[in-house]
Amino acid sequence: MMTKTQKINEQRMLSHKQQNQTIEQTIEQLKQKIRQVGNKPHVTVEEQLHIVDELAQFPLGKFWLQNRGTDGYWTDYMIQHQYQGRMTGIDPQGRELTAFEKAFLDKIPFVVATQQRATHFTKVIQSQVKEGAVLGSLPCGLMRDLLSLDFSGIKDFQLVGMDIDPQSLELAQKLAENYELSNRVQFYQVDAWKQPFQEHFTLLASNGLNVYEPNDEKIVELYRQLFKALVPGGVLVTSVITSPPNLDPDSAWDFSQIDAEAMRLQNILFSDILNFDFKGLRSASTTQSQLQIAGFEEIEVIGDAARVFPTLVVRKPA
């Protein structure tokens, strides 16, 4: 297994911030801010303070409080919850989930949509596992989307993980060892907008970056970079978080598939308390247009149940 680092002139960690202060300091500052703002029409100060206290009781909640975003490890944690924690109430380290944590991981629309999105990615990527396949993930996070695939009977394949976050790359290397795929994987620390490959991959998986980038021209440039990295006829599997009705009157969200109280909690948690920086919410149709501008064709949209986090499968012309 090799890890290579491309020189990064500007560190662009879009998905989360990094805090130097203690969790206790973070919580106290956040509570002071909540008290200063006061009650809101949809939520009281008391309820917000209670939610902060609940978040402080489990590791994912603490990470969110301090970093106001999600990294590769915690994205993988939320996805894997549907296969273990949902049934057992126990996390991968054997810790019992708190009632608030379990309800959150089971019902919050963004989390449920993330879990379903990952399932769609796995099915699409698995269909592209064949002799001579060169599969890449950018940003790769822990790269379980590739490492967990079934390569039975396939003798000639390569895997490549790219991410700007060195911690995610380190964890992905360990996961590759667990899957006994270290000899098949190369890792690169790169800015996605400066990825070094040209006509290299038969398939690329890319999830998450567009959520944090509001500039449409930069997103089209990102898709152009992914297009450049694919061989002719290569496949890109990507996704987009669509805007909720309060931001887009033409929102495609299906509220018959969403728990109303979970939706209210999501708004309080991500908007009022944590101020998650989701500036790049877009409709599936807007994303299709951007992918077409970048040169892709044969676009297929695969929706999650509530149409919150659709998967898009597109192809570079042969």
Side-chain angles (χ1 to χ4, degrees):
M1 176 172 52
M2 299 175 62
T3 302
K4 300 184 179 181
T5 302
Q6 173 180 307
K7 185 177 180 181
I8 300 172
N9 295 321
E10 179 185 359
Q11 191 75 9
R12 286 167 28 101
M13 197 84 72
L14 298 181
S15 61
H16 62 284
K17 301 175 177 63
Q18 294 178 315
Q19 298 287 351
N20 295 321
Q21 62 186 12
T22 67
I23 184 65
E24 291 79 14
Q25 291 171 326
T26 297
I27 290 172
E28 184 55 35
Q29 289 180 8
L30 183 55
K31 286 186 173 182
Q32 288 178 4
K33 180 181 177 181
I34 290 171
R35 294 186 184 102
Q36 288 172 357
V37 173
N39 293 331
K40 298 181 179 182
H42 57 285
V43 62
T44 64
V45 167
E46 182 180 5
E47 183 177 8
Q48 290 180 77
L49 295 178
H50 174 71
I51 292 172
V52 171
D53 287 336
E54 290 284 359
L55 289 172
Q57 299 305 309
F58 56 95
L60 172 58
K62 291 178 180 178
F63 184 90
W64 275 339
L65 287 168
Q66 287 202 284
N67 300 279
R68 310 299 171 88
T70 304
D71 66 358
Y73 176 85
W74 290 113
T75 298
D76 183 75
Y77 177 87
M78 288 188 288
I79 291 169
Q80 293 305 304
H81 171 78
Q82 63 187 317
Y83 305 118
Q84 178 180 337
R86 181 162 294 157
M87 282 70 75
T88 66
I90 304 295
D91 80 355
Q93 284 69 48
R95 178 186 58 86
E96 185 175 354
L97 303 176
T98 72
F100 181 92
E101 178 184 15
K102 190 173 189 309
F104 182 90
L105 291 168
D106 287 344
K107 295 182 179 181
I108 290 294
F110 279 159
V111 177
V112 174
T114 294
Q115 294 163 350
Q116 294 177 0
R117 187 279 309 162
T119 299
H120 293 317
F121 265 48
T122 297
K123 290 179 180 178
V124 172
I125 299 169
Q126 184 67 59
S127 72
Q128 300 297 313
V129 174
K130 55 193 71 175
E131 291 293 341
V134 183
L135 310 178
S137 184
L138 173 65
C140 66
L142 269 65
M143 207 166 121
R144 199 185 297 268
D145 55 351
L146 302 187
L147 296 172
S148 64
L149 296 170
D150 182 2
F151 295 103
S152 299
I154 307 298
K155 297 180 180 180
D156 178 19
F157 67 94
Q158 300 174 39
L159 306 178
V160 177
M162 294 171 279
D163 207 298
I164 200 170
D165 182 1
Q167 293 181 342
S168 288
L169 291 171
E170 181 179 348
L171 291 170
Q173 289 174 357
K174 293 179 181 178
L175 193 61
E177 294 171 3
N178 293 343
Y179 280 102
E180 300 183 347
L181 288 170
S182 296
N183 62 332
R184 299 284 190 170
V185 185
Q186 290 185 329
F187 291 103
Y188 296 81
Q189 185 186 10
V190 298
D191 183 316
W193 279 262
K194 301 174 184 177
Q195 68 80 26
F197 293 98
Q198 186 164 349
E199 294 193 358
H200 186 74
F201 299 99
T202 57
L203 176 141
L204 265 175
S206 183
N207 169 68
L209 287 179
N210 52 13
V211 177
Y212 300 97
E213 178 53 72
N215 187 304
D216 286 331
E217 292 182 2
K218 287 185 178 180
I219 290 301
V220 171
E221 177 56 30
L222 172 64
Y223 296 149
R224 287 194 175 110
Q225 286 291 321
L226 301 177
F227 183 91
K228 180 185 77 171
L230 287 165
V231 300
V235 173
L236 170 67
V237 187
T238 190
S239 57
V240 61
I241 295 183
T242 58
S243 298
N246 63 317
L247 297 179
D248 179 5
D250 297 322
S251 172
W253 285 29
D254 182 357
F255 273 87
S256 70
Q257 301 295 317
I258 295 174
D259 182 281
E261 180 56 26
M263 182 68 200
R264 190 182 80 89
L265 177 59
Q266 173 176 287
N267 290 338
I268 295 168
L269 181 61
F270 291 152
S271 297
D272 297 304
I273 297 176
L274 298 177
N275 299 125
F276 268 24
D277 199 15
F278 290 161
K279 295 181 179 179
L281 304 184
R282 295 174 175 88
S283 67
S285 60
T286 295
T287 300
Q288 289 181 67
S289 297
Q290 292 172 335
L291 288 163
Q292 289 171 333
I293 292 171
F296 288 101
E297 58 182 28
E298 298 182 30
I299 298 175
E300 177 187 7
V301 180
I302 306 172
D304 57 284
R307 299 198 294 267
V308 171
F309 205 167
T311 293
L312 294 96
V313 185
V314 294
R315 188 176 297 274
K316 181 175 181 175

